Amino acid sequence: MFVGRAAELARLAAARERAPGVVLVVGEAGIGKTRLVGEFASGVDALVAEGGADPGCVAYAPFVPVLRGLVRQYGAGLVPGGGRRGLARLLPELGEVEELPDLGRARLFEEVLLLVERSAERRPLVLVLEDLHWADQASVDLLVFLARNLMAPGVLVVATSREPLRLPGAEVIRVPPLGRDEVARLLGQEHQPQDLDLIVARSEGNPLFAEALADAGAATPASLRELLLAGAERLPAEGLDVLRIAAVAGRRTPHDVLRAVAGLDDLALDEALRPVVRARLLLVDGDGYSFRHALIRDAVYDDLLPGERRRLHARCAEAHPELAADHWYAAGDRRRAFESAWAARRWERVLELWDQAESGTDHVQVLELAARDALGEGDTERAEELATRALEEAGGPHADPLRAARLLELRVAIRDLLGEEGLDDLRAAVRLAPRESRLIGSLATVLAWNGQDAEARAHAEEALALGDTRSLTTLAALTALDGDLGTASSLYAEARATAPDDDSLLITYASEADVLEAAGEHARAESVAREGIARARRLGLARSRGGHLAANLAEPLASMGRWKEAREVMRTALALDPPPIHRAWILMVLGTVAVWEGALGEAEEIVGRVRPLMRGRSRGYDSCLEPDLLECRLALAGGDQRRAGSVVDHVLAEHDLTLSRRYAWPLLALAASLGRVREAPGVVATTGRVQQAHRATFEAECGGPWEAAVASWRAVGQPYALGQALVRAAEQDPGRARERLREAVAIAGGLGSEPLRHAAEAAAATLRVPLGDEPLLSAREREVLVLVAEGLSNRQIAERLFISARTSGVHVSNIMGKLGASSRVEAVARARRTGLI
């Protein structure tokens, strides 16, 4: 009987109306979480797909029955490629997995999201995920991803857990104990008041315990185990046998499996089950049965004798092939457990049972497959450990060079996610497999990231000649960095036309947008990035590669001063929970905009977030310099020259700026403003209008003309940098200060930049330059000032202008006050410096 919980049911119903969303139902064991969710699900007008976790369950186990149910209901055609790019990792019936450069995790998450949202387009959908306190980390990560990214209407995820989970945006419903009247209604029979009081006191309002205490009758078991078994012990022998089989079989036992293990026909099984279901120890669950509570199952399982337990596991293994590896393992039959794990591609279990492998079985291959699985589950540290072990074993006396090269490439991909550079591994891989075009092309890409352009070009051309069309993108980027944007554009078009897969196609857009932005072609960069994002959405890659392209779109928008648009692009992309390195690139742009706006607290928080994400050089030399540039800008905006100097000193000591194509000149300009350098170290590339403008800024900081920097930033079309240069030019040439500072203030107002406005107004105050529209001196005061400059006295000025000597004196006093001068000589000097005379 379901009693109480009206408030909790109302909250679930309200969440259903607000869908999409996630609700987490939290409460202690036995408090009624499952019963509450079941009552809600039974009355909702939606397709309900259920799954759950068990102790020690494999990766993504809570989601497998959910996804399998949706595929059976609507077909795998709801996602690109029929699910073989991602979902097939969890649903083998979809066929062999197509291996992709991202190694599956990103694809899996996006395909799950697509399947869920597109299923909801056909009918509202409720996903129920039970007992997530037992879930593996990969399942939790997938649930967090869904919590952040579900946007289509009609999807509600309801999860249960004994402990709270960190789920962004999830509504938490805590299930309270039942009151005395509710316990009385739950038990549904007459009890003496003193007996009911005892049950309420001992159960503390926990429905499971209350029912078990009522079942125990006059006897009051001392232990929880005895309490939970009280109802089971009153079953007939056949019913108890079936209950024990269900406890061994798993979280949910299909009817066919129960029949096969029990060795009963349908009629006999029904008779054996009837008292078990009547006692509510097992509940009918679709075409199978599940325990009313996991604690009952645990108690029944623990009550089995060791030999009885092994025998039942062996019979379950034969009747339930999907779980055979675990059942044979629990039965102590390591040989059959090994064979079942191999058939199910459970590679970690295979490694655990390796003593059962036949002589000559390929251990290196299993290590590689286990590493790929670990990476797909998000356990990069375990993936690296397994890949390294595979490499060590593959390097024996009969080593296969091609296999070793493939393993090195795998470890590069793993370490890339850990922020570690893979250049040495790629060089070694190419030495082992000198004709493998994909490896050579990957090496060319990483060399280009690290500023080793000549070697990168040579390898890219070699890879292209061997058939790796992805290398066209590398060649296009190198050509653009050399200043030939026309040829680069043609190469990018060819790269798109010959891209071997979706990811390679989208990389061409990201790369072209990046080099166009670096060259100062902001509008073209915006156009290419928008086209790439549209393609990413159509291909179902809005989260992964779409996040990369979002950074490529936000950057030119920020450069052009369209900060609100840039923020909206970044907000949308971050809501999709992009992969770490893509999230870091988005945050770098967001942090820069925050500094320019004057939101220094936000920028400080972003610096703290991006440092761990960009701690290595896995994405190239420029990438590791970006956080330094942002932190230095932040420090200077906050007036912390000591911190800025510390960052600059680190950059100058630890980095070779001649290898950076994008951030050397901006960092050198900041270093020069702090007095750390007076000339560039070595030959620093100056390709494109943006780098030329940064170089002009550096030279101005070293004593050169700021007018050149003003002209450069004006030509590039970056208003914030132009405003900064205008302020410095005003300080260098007070004669034109007023017009320059007024323009800087106008730019600051248009952008919404408090730091730029403050800098312009501070310069105006120092130079005593008015920024308003009214003239500094009246026409008569200008006439008087000219005569003061000629050296005339107040009386002589009065005679010349046909005014009284007193009036002449008043004009002179007003002039000195407006110019902030303490003497006539100083007033004339200031007037000449500011162009008034």
Side-chain angles (χ1 to χ4, degrees), residues 229-269:
L229 288 174
E233 289 173 349
R234 290 200 294 272
L235 292 172
E238 296 82 1
L240 185 57
D241 286 343
V242 169
L243 187 67
R244 288 168 174 164
I245 293 169
V248 171
R251 174 185 180 81
R252 179 185 177 280
T253 309
H255 182 87
D256 292 345
V257 172
L258 199 58
R259 181 182 57 195
V261 177
L264 302 172
D265 59 31
D266 283 327
L267 186 60
L269 179 60

Side-chain angles (χ1 to χ4, degrees), residues 518 633 658 660-673 677-713 716 718 721 725:
R633 284 172 168 166
T658 63
S660 173
R661 303 297 292 260
R662 292 199 62 179
Y663 303 114
W665 284 120
L667 282 163
L668 286 170
L670 292 173
S673 73
V677 295
R678 301 302 295 172
E679 60 182 23
V683 179
V684 178
T686 314
T687 303
R689 295 183 300 168
V690 172
Q691 295 308 310
Q692 290 165 5
H694 279 301
R695 180 170 184 167
T697 302
F698 167 77
E699 291 170 348
E701 292 284 8
C702 293
W706 275 101
E707 184 58 38
V710 168
S712 294
W713 288 119
V716 170
Q718 292 189 204

Side-chain angles (χ1 to χ4, degrees), residues 47 70 74-82 110-125 150 152-155 536-541:
L47 175 66
L70 294 179
Y74 298 120
L78 292 181
V79 296
E110 294 198 36
E111 289 194 1
V112 170
L113 178 64
L114 281 172
L115 179 64
V116 168
E117 292 195 328
R118 291 179 179 176
S119 296
E121 291 174 0
R122 287 153 175 77
R123 186 184 177 190
L125 179 63
L150 279 172
V155 184
R537 287 172 179 159
R538 289 198 296 272
L539 293 169
L541 290 170

Side-chain angles (χ1 to χ4, degrees), residues 514-552:
D514 184 63
V515 297
L516 286 170
E517 170 62 15
E521 299 292 333
H522 306 309
R524 290 175 60 191
E526 176 193 359
S527 175
V528 170
R530 287 193 186 280
E531 184 180 348
I533 288 173
R535 291 292 291 269
R537 287 172 179 159
R538 289 198 296 272
L539 293 169
L541 290 170
R543 170 185 173 261
S544 54
R545 196 57 67 183
H548 183 180
L549 283 156
N552 294 129

Side-chain angles (χ1 to χ4, degrees), residues 68 71 76 81-99 111 345:
R68 182 168 283 130
V71 168
R84 293 186 61 188
R85 297 167 178 172
L87 288 176
R89 295 182 181 279
L90 305 185
L91 307 178
E93 60 265 33
L94 298 182
E96 289 293 321
V97 180
E98 295 179 9
E99 293 296 342
E111 289 194 1
R345 300 174 65 84

Side-chain angles (χ1 to χ4, degrees), residues 468-525:
D468 180 40
T469 57
R470 299 177 311 156
S471 293
L472 283 164
T473 300
T474 303
L475 288 170
L478 291 169
T479 302
L481 290 172
D482 286 341
D484 188 353
L485 292 179
T487 302
S489 179
S490 298
L491 288 170
Y492 278 121
E494 186 179 353
R496 278 194 271 280
T498 59
D501 53 63
D502 295 343
D503 197 58
S504 299
L505 171 66
L506 295 177
I507 287 173
T508 67
Y509 289 102
S511 178
E512 185 172 12
D514 184 63
V515 297
L516 286 170
E517 170 62 15
E521 299 292 333
H522 306 309
R524 290 175 60 191

Side-chain angles (χ1 to χ4, degrees), residues 395-455:
H398 305 293
D400 178 349
L402 189 57
R403 164 182 279 188
R406 186 181 67 237
L407 288 170
L408 283 165
E409 185 182 21
L410 171 63
R411 192 168 70 175
V412 168
I414 295 169
R415 288 181 169 176
D416 177 66
L417 297 179
L418 293 170
E420 299 175 16
E421 182 188 274
L423 195 53
D424 290 340
D425 275 357
L426 280 173
R427 288 189 189 278
V430 170
R431 286 195 296 270
L432 289 166
R435 300 293 294 174
E436 282 293 304
S437 63
R438 187 186 68 255
L439 289 175
I440 300 169
S442 297
L443 175 58
T445 299
V446 177
L447 286 167
W449 285 345
N450 283 275
Q452 301 178 42
D453 296 356
E455 189 179 1

